[in-house]
Amino acid sequence: MSRYAVFTVMMLWAAAAPGRADEAAIIADIGEFIRTDDTARRTELVARIQADPAYDRARVSEWLHAAEVFEPLKPGPLELAVPLPDGSTRTVVLRIPQDYDCHRAWPVIYALHGMSGHATNSLAYFQRALGADVEQYVLAAPDGYADQVISETQWPPTGEHPAALLKIKQTVNVDSDRVYVAGYSMGGHTSWTLAVLYADQFAGAVPLAGTFTIILPDHLHETFLPNLAHLPVLGVWGAGDTKDARGDESRGGGIAGSNRGLRELGAKLGLQLTMIELSDRGHSDVDPPADALRALLAQRRVPYPRAVHHVFRHLCQGSAYWLEAHAWSGEQWTDQKKTVHLREGENLFKDEDLDAAVARHYRGMLAELSGEIDGQNIRVLHKKVSDLTVWIGDGLIDWDQPVSLKAGGRPPVELQVQPDLYVCLAQAARTRDFDRLRWAGIRVRPSAGKPYLVTSKTTFPAPFSKPRQAAPAKDKPKTRAGPKKG
């Protein structure tokens, strides 16, 4: 074949696949958008991407993962220093798999160690539990973490776990639809807590030899567990794990007794809880059944459920799939002592009365984000939240029709919402979530009047709030020793 004939064939091929040659340019522009925070430059890049004949909105997630955003990483351990808002840092140790490729997305297991352990212990445990499958995952283990259970979170909160997850996503090309939280003993307690408070960040949770530890679980478990409506949990523990935090036989049966209660409550609430009790094991010799673990790690996150319910303690926990809180309103659950008021007929010396009063008090300081999307109708309820965004992704609404938003007790507002590439890429850069794309947002700020659309000029506050100084109370609520942390 002559040189001219070869050239003609190449031209005909190019004509048959219009825009194919410009896909690399789109990927390069998306990478530059993520790397810069200059609004004017970002606007230019978006215009150029959309003008390209190869642009296809359905491929943006794929292109984000293919962009030159991540550095190549060598297999083996890698330490990250995660800056926290209080000025401290948290070390997270990664295990990079042998065939890691920074141009494709990888599932991540956020692995939590026990009380006397370190990140290396957690990595070793899950490497053994996964066997050869470990090379399919990036393992990420925070070392010496402090934020463990809802009732013991330090004040002001540092948000160390969402900060760590963000740093991991800035370092590793993460498949955000396949991030799992798992841990042993204290790490099991923390896995439960993170699953409840950050359910929209995970595809599944694996608490081992741990339980959902909280003040007065019989009363507050039912308040928090509905957060797990869309998140599968694999809990595994030993039947002999019956001691309390002091090493005595627990009145409630320790971790084993607590998990039996969670199993019963989970069934009542219709949750996806796979709760496995190992009859011949105690606290320190628990391993998840291989088939059950493999099944859990095959789950993918539900990105945009049409119904959302989320209860939380701090603003940094206020993310719920397509709802995001930006400002707190009213009293907060700090580390200050609380005065509990009994109702008429309740007796201070009856455990059940005191427990009910304490639970009532703490429940009154929790925030809530709830919402439902039915066709083009969006209904949002919020408690102790004075500023929030309703995010819209593909599959939630018909983009060609206006939506009706009813937030709180205000009258419905009708808005025409369209996919906005700038908003999509800006949120991908902000959250490093390249899989659950936010194509539009509606900001709800009652103090600013009617809800309005998120644009390139919209800013978002940091998800942390300063504690309000409450006057010290005379009495601190009575608590009981919980299950040991290990």
Side-chain angles (χ1 to χ4, degrees):
M1 182 181 293
S2 69
R3 185 179 304 173
Y4 174 77
V6 172
F7 177 75
T8 301
V9 170
M10 292 179 64
M11 289 296 290
L12 289 173
W13 175 83
R20 178 78 60 105
D22 294 322
E23 184 178 331
I26 291 177
I27 293 173
D29 285 346
I30 286 177
E32 184 179 349
F33 186 105
I34 299 299
R35 292 190 299 270
T36 184
D37 58 3
D38 181 81
T39 302
R41 181 56 180 158
R42 283 182 162 185
T43 302
E44 293 174 2
L45 291 166
V46 165
R48 191 161 70 188
I49 292 169
Q50 291 180 316
D52 196 302
Y55 174 65
D56 180 355
R57 197 167 67 81
R59 300 188 64 192
V60 171
S61 176
E62 171 194 341
W63 288 334
L64 279 162
H65 283 296
E68 295 293 337
V69 177
F70 305 99
E71 296 292 333
L73 301 174
K74 295 180 180 180
L78 173 66
E79 284 195 7
L80 301 180
V82 180
L84 302 181
D86 64 357
S88 64
T89 60
R90 179 74 67 234
T91 298
V92 176
V93 182
L94 305 182
R95 182 193 182 276
I96 306 300
Q98 290 296 319
D99 296 328
Y100 177 77
D101 178 356
C102 66
H103 295 101
R104 76 172 180 89
W106 288 79
V108 170
I109 298 175
Y110 191 62
L112 300 156
H113 62 74
M115 178 176 286
S116 58
H118 300 281
T120 52
N121 303 122
S122 188
L123 293 176
Y125 177 87
F126 285 101
Q127 185 170 350
R128 178 178 61 81
L130 290 166
D133 289 349
V134 72
E135 299 301 340
Q136 300 175 23
Y137 303 90
V138 172
L139 302 185
D143 192 64
Y145 58 91
D147 194 351
Q148 301 162 10
V149 297
I150 291 173
S151 55
E152 293 181 4
T153 305
Q154 66 185 45
W155 187 267
T158 64
E160 62 175 298
H161 295 293
L165 289 167
L166 179 60
K167 183 69 173 179
I168 293 163
K169 291 179 179 180
Q170 291 170 338
T171 306
V172 174
N173 195 338
V174 173
D175 181 346
S176 293
D177 286 337
R178 293 194 64 202
V179 178
Y180 310 91
V181 59
Y184 198 101
S185 190
M186 182 184 79
H189 300 334
T190 310
S191 296
W192 271 107
T193 304
L194 298 188
V196 165
L197 295 178
Y198 304 100
D200 75 326
Q201 297 298 309
F202 301 112
V206 188
L208 305 167
T211 190
F212 185 23
T213 301
I214 189 173
I215 292 174
L216 305 174
D218 293 342
H219 293 265
L220 290 181
H221 272 164
E222 196 157 356
T223 299
F224 281 103
L225 280 187
N227 289 10
L228 298 174
H230 309 291
L231 184 70
V233 176
L234 169 63
V236 186
W237 69 94
D241 198 350
T242 58
K243 304 290 187 180
D244 64 19
R246 293 185 288 262
D248 302 324
E249 282 295 325
S250 170
R251 186 177 70 180
I255 287 173
S258 177
N259 281 334
R260 291 167 194 151
L262 289 175
R263 179 168 55 194
E264 182 178 343
L265 181 56
K268 173 185 173 183
L269 297 174
L271 302 179
Q272 304 173 70
L273 305 188
T274 301
M275 306 291 283
I276 300 175
E277 180 171 296
L278 304 178
S279 60
D280 59 342
R281 303 296 173 92
H283 181 72
S284 60
D285 53 354
V286 169
D287 289 308
D291 55 346
L293 179 60
R294 192 172 293 111
L296 188 286
L297 296 178
Q299 298 293 320
R300 299 186 65 83
R301 175 181 62 175
V302 177
Y304 283 120
R306 290 187 172 275
V308 169
H309 175 82
H310 186 61
V311 173
F312 55 102
R313 177 180 172 185
H314 299 309
L315 187 61
C316 59
Q317 301 156 356
S319 175
Y321 299 96
W322 45 270
L323 295 173
E324 182 182 7
H326 304 302
W328 190 279
S329 175
E331 186 181 10
Q332 301 187 59
W333 179 350
T334 70
D335 59 354
Q336 299 295 309
K337 293 181 178 180
K338 305 296 179 185
T339 299
V340 175
H341 300 280
L342 299 178
R343 289 176 175 172
E344 185 177 354
E346 290 181 331
N347 189 328
L348 175 65
F349 299 101
K350 284 187 177 181
D351 280 348
E352 58 270 28
D353 287 355
L354 181 59
D355 288 354
V358 173
R360 202 165 52 236
H361 183 81
Y362 281 101
R363 195 180 295 117
M365 290 186 290
L366 296 173
E368 179 182 338
L369 285 175
S370 295
E372 187 175 46
I373 297 181
D374 181 12
Q376 298 298 101
N377 298 308
I378 304 173
R379 182 170 177 265
V380 175
L381 298 175
H382 52 97
K383 172 187 170 186
K384 293 193 178 295
V385 174
S386 58
D387 181 0
L388 65 111
T389 299
V390 178
W391 295 108
I392 308 295
D394 283 332
L396 282 179
I397 64 167
D398 180 350
W399 295 107
D400 295 328
Q401 302 296 324
V403 300
S404 173
L405 171 65
K406 180 175 175 55
R410 292 177 169 250
V413 176
E414 188 172 284
L415 302 104
Q416 185 64 55
V417 182
Q418 294 292 328
D420 186 325
L421 181 60
Y422 188 104
V423 169
C424 172
L425 295 180
Q427 288 304 306
R430 173 175 171 248
T431 65
R432 287 304 178 106
D433 189 333
F434 291 173
D435 301 284
R436 180 176 56 205
L437 300 183
R438 296 168 165 178
W439 282 101
I442 305 172
R443 193 70 172 268
V444 180
R445 300 174 66 191
S447 62
K450 291 184 178 181
Y452 56 91
L453 296 179
V454 171
T455 70
S456 61
K457 297 180 181 179
T458 307
T459 59
F460 298 91
F464 301 96
S465 59
K466 294 181 180 179
R468 299 187 179 198
Q469 296 299 324
K474 295 180 180 179
D475 300 303
K476 189 172 183 178
K478 179 179 68 174
T479 60
R480 296 189 290 268
K484 62 185 174 185
K485 293 183 179 179

